[in-house]
Amino acid sequence: MNYPNLQANDPELYQWLDAEQKRQKDGLEMIPSENYVSPAVLEAMGSILTNKYAEGYPGKRYYGGCVNVDEVENLCKRRALELFGAEGYRVNVQPLSGSPANLAVYFALLNFGDTVMSLPLPLGGHLTHGLPVNLSGKAYKFVFYALDPKTELLDYDAIASLAREHKPKLILSGYTAYSHIIDFKKMHDIAKEAGAISMADTSHITGLIAGGQHPSPFPFTDVVTTTTHKTLRGPRAAMIFSKEEYGDAIDKAVFPGMQGGPHEHAIAGIAAALKEAATPAFKEYAAQIVKNSQALATSLQAEGLRLVAGGSENHLLLLDLTPFRPGLGVFLEKALDAAHITANKNTVPNESSSPFYPSGVRLGTPALTTRGMKEAEMTHIGTLIAKIVKEFSATELPEEKSARPQAVKDFVETLAGNSVVKEVRAEVAGITARFPVPGIA
Ligand code: DSN
């Protein structure tokens, strides 16, 4: 039991933390953007630093009593620059999360209406990479590049020619559902040729970069943003690295442009995670994430399932269920959930259904690797996922849009009594019992 005070004083709230703790322990966490932080990161996040206001930056605050948080924030920044060998860069560790970090960069370096190039969300981009309903898509003119329709990989020649045509002010790389290596140097060179700022949102793969498992965007990319809670295994927060010439504008955009007081407890959590990420053990962890992802891909493919772009070179893979039924992703997410495997529905390239009822499921290995699972477990888990896919592969998404929510509800109700779900859930319990979660007693 990790929350004795809540348990004693607020049982109404405690019950949900307790239930969530059990869910995180008893299930296979396979959302590629999730992870389990260390007890040290949890301590920092739950620390008394949450009591402190510190608007401003170290040495230039708008509040008294910042002597200690100044040291925490400076330590965090030093560790961040050292970990990535980011010489000539400045880092801002105050963004509250990834979306505000990206918006702060645009706010700092662009005028409203300026042209930006990115990969759209349905192909693996992000909300803040220009989705029309997101502030990014409303405030700036996004021109989208696509993936090569045959290989489902980035087509650098096509991106370069689009950049020549549109002359954007900023070109964005870094994705949320791309399972292969990104050539950040090529993306930077394309930007420079077009007279654009190069920006990489490395959120998903920052831990792999730190661990030497993915080429780095340093020391050439103009601006690098990242969340800290994915493969980096830190708290829910973000950082912006920028070449010195952009540093003042970015600092001003974060505070006072977009945010007030920074979350110094989260900054302490980032500092703790960065120390861990600099160890040889973290390098091994990053290498194992990739080996596990490849073992999982091999297992799923051996079961006859289709992976977008033919597999995985990083921490994630995208299962395309279109060959069974368009729109099957939503049902599969629910069925996996019932079997205690947590993943998320996702669009696939050339999606033939819709973003809310997509045809894919995104899977990842960072959290399972944190628990110590290796290739043998991934191979086994691949067969379990395939069992679920095959059991439900004929599930039809109604043509009629208004009938879809009820169809999903009805489907979920059938899951508790399904024998394949029960069988897979029992096997999942056998696996999770052998691999404790750090920080969960
Ligand atoms: N929502 C995150 C993800 O799951 O990929 C990206 O910010």
Side-chain angles (χ1 to χ4, degrees), residues 86-100:
E87 228 172 278
Y89 283 77
R90 195 186 294 189
V91 64
N92 188 309
V93 295
Q94 294 192 359
L96 303 179
S97 205
S99 293

Side-chain angles (χ1 to χ4, degrees), residues 31 33 126 176 204 230 362:
I31 292 175
S33 48
H126 185 251
T176 64
H204 262 256
K230 299 185 172 93
R362 200 177 58 148

Side-chain angles (χ1 to χ4, degrees), residues 337-360:
D337 235 347
H340 292 177
I341 298 175
T342 310
N344 71 283
K345 64 183 177 185
N346 212 93
T347 49
V348 293
N350 301 314
E351 177 61 62
S352 50
S353 187
S354 73
F356 201 74
Y357 297 96
S359 306

Side-chain angles (χ1 to χ4, degrees), residues 415-439:
L415 293 172
N418 181 282
S419 60
V420 172
V421 168
K422 279 189 199 155
E423 191 190 309
V424 171
R425 199 190 300 145
E427 293 207 41
V428 166
I431 300 170
T432 55
R434 291 189 284 123
F435 295 92
V437 176

Side-chain angles (χ1 to χ4, degrees), residues 28-179:
L28 292 172
E29 180 49 73
M30 299 189 75
I31 292 175
S33 48
E34 294 194 9
N35 213 330
Y36 298 109
V37 297
S38 69
V41 172
L42 272 181
E43 270 180 24
M45 287 300 280
S47 72
I48 40 75
L49 296 183
T50 196
N51 297 336
K52 190 71 199 98
Y53 247 123
E55 280 184 18
Y57 290 101
K60 291 170 282 178
R61 306 281 193 185
Y62 289 80
Y63 287 82
C66 289
V67 53
N68 301 311
V69 293
D70 274 6
E71 295 298 332
V72 168
E73 196 166 328
N74 280 331
L75 176 64
C76 183
K77 290 164 92 151
R78 256 198 326 273
R79 286 182 179 171
L81 293 171
E82 268 170 34
L83 182 64
F84 297 100
E87 228 172 278
Y89 283 77
R90 195 186 294 189
V91 64
N92 188 309
V93 295
Q94 294 192 359
L96 303 179
S97 205
S99 293
N102 286 344
L103 293 173
V105 173
Y106 306 150
F107 190 36
L109 306 184
L110 306 175
N111 293 312
F112 293 134
D114 276 350
T115 302
V116 181
M117 260 177 63
S118 70
L119 188 72
L121 178 64
L123 289 178
H126 185 251
L127 302 173
T128 57
H129 299 184
L131 192 74
V133 294
N134 184 263
L135 182 61
S136 57
K138 291 194 185 295
Y140 307 98
K141 182 176 170 243
F142 273 78
V143 170
F144 294 116
Y145 50 87
L147 298 173
D148 181 300
K150 280 216 180 73
T151 61
E152 299 173 315
L153 297 172
L154 292 166
D155 178 346
Y156 297 97
D157 291 338
I159 297 170
S161 97
L162 204 64
R164 271 180 231 120
E165 182 188 340
H166 290 277
K167 294 254 166 287
K169 191 139 171 211
L170 186 147
I171 299 182
L172 191 49
S173 62
Y175 314 105
T176 64
Y178 190 69
S179 56

Side-chain angles (χ1 to χ4, degrees), residues 191 264 290 305 412 420:
E264 293 293 343
V290 177
L305 302 183
V412 169
V420 172

Side-chain angles (χ1 to χ4, degrees), residues 98 169 206 214 240 244 250 262 309 312 325-326 356 361 378 411-412:
K169 191 139 171 211
T206 300
H214 190 289
I240 304 172
E244 196 51 50
I250 288 174
S312 175
R325 289 278 187 286
F356 201 74
V361 166
M378 298 305 123
F411 175 77
V412 169

